[in-house]
Amino acid sequence: MTKREQLGNFELMVMLALIRIGDNAYGVPISEELEKRTGRDVAIGSVYAALERLEDKGFVTSELGEATPERGGRAKRYFRVTARGLREVRETQRALVKLWHGLAALEGGKA
Amino acid sequence: MRSTQPPTVATWLLKQFGCSPQDEAVLGDLMERYRHGRSRLWYWRQVLIAIAVDVSRVVWQDKVRTLAAGVTGCIIFAFYRSPSDRPLFQSISLQMNFASMQFQIPPSWWVYYGMYCFLLSFLTAIMGLIVGAFSGWIVAKFQPSHRVPIVLMFVAFLCGYWLFSLSFSIVKSGLVGVGIVPGHEIRSLLFLPFSLLPWVASIVGIFWGSGLLEGHQASSGT
């Protein structure tokens, strides 16, 4: 049986942020989206480490964008979810929903 | 008014010790967010986390080689011990400091004694620089393409060992073990820079010998 590449918790969050942002996904909007949705401070270094792993797994692709003076002349790196990445997110969602289903302790926000 | 330029030292640290090909993009993102109102403290925190993430990722991929490099570097340092059974690099000046206070050198001699301690500390620092440079050079040879994380881990090993040695010395002999003479605490503290100089010189030597003080291109993951 071949080993399937799976998504870690933070990787899944990054993938969801990427899907939500769409075309303009580079470090700043991704980290801002994660902070907005989770209410936690996010380290940009950790976001890039997760993106690098996702790229190695074939779930995202990246390309260099334009350099702006606001960024000290440094280019942005844009990320995009691949079809394989999208499929993996759906698989993970299905698995999580199945695991969630029927757990009385977690229903109604009691836990 | 707050400067629009992010902390220069932090930026330099990430350029120098970051080892991911994405670090240029990370620096650009950090600068963009800094200019949108994030604090200097936030910038520093982000840089330190980025370096730690880069280093831990590479070290995890190459655990055995990193361990071997760290142990080899520490063995090189272990050969360079101070004469008595004291922690590594607790310099001779501390022991002289202790001896002089025991024998109560007359105050008129303190200038000469200070000069003597400075010379001794300077010589120990030169030795530390040489040993550091040699060990740094050897450690970097273990994995030239990933020398940054391996050398940083070696420095972390060594600092951990020094802290352990100092703690052991304090537990064994109290503050005298680190050169703080009871009744002469303030005067003893004046010798602290003399004692720290060889340690600092060793670390600088490691970075120098391993080539980390030169500009480098991120090499991992490519």
Side-chain angles (χ1 to χ4, degrees), chain B residues 123-141:
Chain B
L123 290 175
T124 320
I126 296 286
M127 278 302 293
L129 193 74
I130 293 167
V131 175
F134 178 63
S135 63
W137 181 75
I138 295 279
V139 166
K141 289 278 171 214

Side-chain angles (χ1 to χ4, degrees), chain B residues 135-187:
Chain B
S135 63
W137 181 75
I138 295 279
V139 166
K141 289 278 171 214
F142 270 78
Q143 181 59 293
S145 62
H146 288 161
R147 66 191 165 140
V148 176
I150 284 186
V151 170
L152 286 182
M153 280 309 290
F154 166 50
V155 170
F157 279 162
L158 207 58
C159 289
Y161 174 64
W162 284 341
L163 278 176
F164 172 76
S165 300
L166 275 177
S167 314
F168 183 74
S169 209
I170 291 172
V171 168
K172 203 171 93 179
S173 327
L175 285 176
V176 174
V178 285
I180 308 287
V181 183
H184 296 278
E185 284 84 2
I186 302 292
R187 208 191 284 176

Side-chain angles (χ1 to χ4, degrees), chain B residues 69-128:
Chain B
V71 169
T72 306
C74 285
I75 288 172
I76 293 171
F77 264 84
F79 278 107
Y80 179 50
R81 289 179 70 93
S82 52
S84 68
D85 185 25
R86 289 194 149 219
L88 191 71
F89 272 109
Q90 192 177 341
S91 66
I92 303 163
S93 64
L94 265 182
Q95 293 167 48
M96 293 305 293
N97 171 22
F98 178 57
S100 73
M101 286 175 183
Q102 291 287 299
F103 293 113
Q104 296 294 316
I105 285 177
S108 56
W109 285 39
W110 272 90
V111 174
Y112 302 109
Y113 178 63
M115 286 164 65
Y116 174 68
C117 278
F118 176 75
L119 186 69
L120 211 55
S121 177
F122 182 73
L123 290 175
T124 320
I126 296 286
M127 278 302 293

Side-chain angles (χ1 to χ4, degrees), chain A residues 26-28 31-32 35 41-46 48-49 52 55 62 68-72 74-77 79, chain B residues 11 15 20-22 24-33 35-36 38 42 45-46 49-50 53 57 221:
Chain A
Y26 67 98
V28 173
S31 55
E32 282 176 346
E35 283 175 356
D41 204 15
V42 170
I44 290 182
S46 309
Y48 272 91
E52 237 178 283
E55 201 166 6
S62 72
T68 60
E70 191 190 24
R71 299 168 55 83
R74 294 181 179 93
K76 293 173 183 172
R77 182 167 282 277
F79 294 88
Chain B
T11 305
K15 277 184 183 169
S20 161
Q22 313 277 17
E24 272 298 296
V26 172
L27 275 173
D29 289 349
L30 290 180
M31 183 176 271
E32 194 178 323
R33 292 200 74 181
R35 288 189 169 164
H36 285 168
R38 289 295 190 152
W42 175 88
R45 196 176 143 261
Q46 292 284 333
I49 292 174
V53 168
R57 184 177 50 85

